[in-house]
Amino acid sequence: MRRLDGKVAIISGSGRGIGRELAFKLAGQGASVVVNDLDEAPANEVVTQIRDAGGTATACVGDVTADEFGERFVRTALETFGGLDIIVNNAGYTRDGVIQKQTDEQFQAMLDVHVSAPFRILRAAAEPLRTMARKEAAEGREVIRKVVNISSMAGTHGNAGQINYSAAKSALVGMTKTLSKEWGRLKVCVNCVAFGIIDTRLTQPISGSEASIPIGGQPLHTGIPSAVRDALLDSVPLGRAGTAREAADSIYLLCVPESDYISGQVLVVSGGLSL
């Protein structure tokens, strides 16, 4: 039997990278998945691949920082699949710079995508989760649901040049621990995964042809200087960066029934790296 048969999952930022791998993983284990990306093409591509493999998925395209997105994201799951069991707040990006060179807009952008967007998604889910939990309790059933927020070692340990990103990802840890206390009575486990160096477009070495993310109609170049990346990799005990699939697998661990008594925790996934 597949581990997530009958479950419904929403994953922000799941058209590419770690989110994409997680969408395939959850769908392969029986979950119905709502796929999100800024752009229609990658979201629809993931949905098509899931369906072609015999899974169930639909797309909810849009910017997670939009005021109405959280409500629309949750509503898509409820109206399309009739429930909501797994919420993964994965969407995000970086805009690095030392503090004296950071603008207010640059700092606020990280709070918008890494703090306000997850908050709105979770707030939108609150009443549906309360309603489902009350109904199940009245029927004498216990249904465990999962929230996994994606943080970073920048949020747990700090990282030079990332005061905006570190502050936002640290706030997400606080959100996780608070919500695990508020939603425990609803049988919702709320956890956080803090990644070290994972091979995605955000961590590729800068070479002059780096990838970009369209933010506010403008391309935001991604990647880190090769020397910085090499130094970090030298300090990873396992000797390499993690893959997007390995990262997705760590999130998956907090979505399956085997983790039904784990809540309020931060899982650091770093290959042994400790900054």
Side-chain angles (χ1 to χ4, degrees):
M1 184 181 69
R2 296 179 299 181
R3 307 303 299 139
L4 298 173
D5 276 337
K7 301 294 186 181
V8 177
I10 61 176
I11 310 168
S12 67
S14 47
R16 294 169 253 222
I18 296 169
R20 174 189 177 97
E21 293 294 336
L22 182 63
F24 293 145
K25 183 79 174 184
L26 298 191
Q29 288 297 317
S32 298
V33 180
V34 180
V35 176
N36 159 256
D37 195 89
L38 265 173
D39 304 314
E40 187 173 350
N44 288 339
E45 181 183 356
V46 173
V47 169
T48 297
Q49 290 188 29
I50 288 173
R51 290 175 177 173
D52 287 348
T56 305
T58 193
C60 182
V61 177
D63 184 348
V64 297
T65 67
D67 290 348
E68 47 72 43
F69 178 80
E71 295 284 349
R72 181 163 63 87
F73 201 23
V74 169
R75 188 169 63 250
T76 298
L78 296 173
E79 294 181 354
T80 306
F81 300 126
L84 180 58
D85 302 282
I86 298 168
I87 301 171
V88 181
N89 285 304
N90 167 74
Y93 61 98
T94 57
R95 285 185 62 182
D96 297 348
V98 292
I99 189 169
Q100 66 270 23
K101 294 183 178 180
Q102 287 220 4
T103 65
D104 287 352
E105 184 275 333
Q106 189 175 353
F107 189 85
Q108 187 62 48
M110 292 295 93
L111 299 183
D112 289 344
V113 71
H114 295 292
V115 184
S116 295
F119 164 73
R120 288 173 179 150
I121 291 168
L122 294 167
R123 182 178 61 185
E127 191 54 38
L129 293 179
R130 283 164 50 88
T131 299
M132 289 185 286
R134 284 196 297 264
K135 180 176 183 294
E136 290 150 3
E139 296 170 350
R141 297 189 295 125
E142 181 179 74
V143 177
I144 306 296
R145 293 182 170 85
K146 306 296 179 72
V147 171
V148 186
N149 295 318
I150 306 306
S151 184
S152 165
M153 289 186 71
T156 59
H157 293 70
N159 195 32
Q162 290 191 314
I163 192 167
N164 53 353
Y165 182 72
S166 297
K169 288 301 194 182
S170 182
L172 201 54
V173 172
M175 188 185 303
T176 297
K177 291 184 176 292
T178 296
L179 204 56
S180 72
K181 293 176 169 60
E182 290 189 11
W183 281 5
R185 61 192 177 83
L186 304 180
K187 310 303 180 182
V188 179
C189 298
V190 186
N191 292 293
C192 188
V193 176
F195 288 121
I197 308 169
I198 306 296
D199 270 329
T200 69
R201 58 184 174 160
L202 296 181
T203 61
Q204 65 180 353
I206 295 175
S207 62
S209 60
E210 60 269 22
S212 64
I213 303 172
I215 302 295
Q218 299 295 322
L220 176 68
H221 293 298
T222 61
I224 56 178
S226 296
V228 174
R229 177 185 163 92
D230 290 345
L232 286 171
L233 290 178
D234 285 343
S235 64
V236 176
L238 288 184
R240 62 174 176 83
T243 67
R245 180 168 295 182
E246 288 170 328
D249 285 345
S250 69
I251 303 169
Y252 168 77
L253 295 176
L254 296 174
C255 295
V256 292
E258 286 81 354
S259 60
D260 278 0
Y261 200 63
I262 299 173
S263 193
Q265 302 305 305
V266 179
L267 174 64
V268 176
V269 178
S270 66
L273 174 65
S274 180
L275 295 176

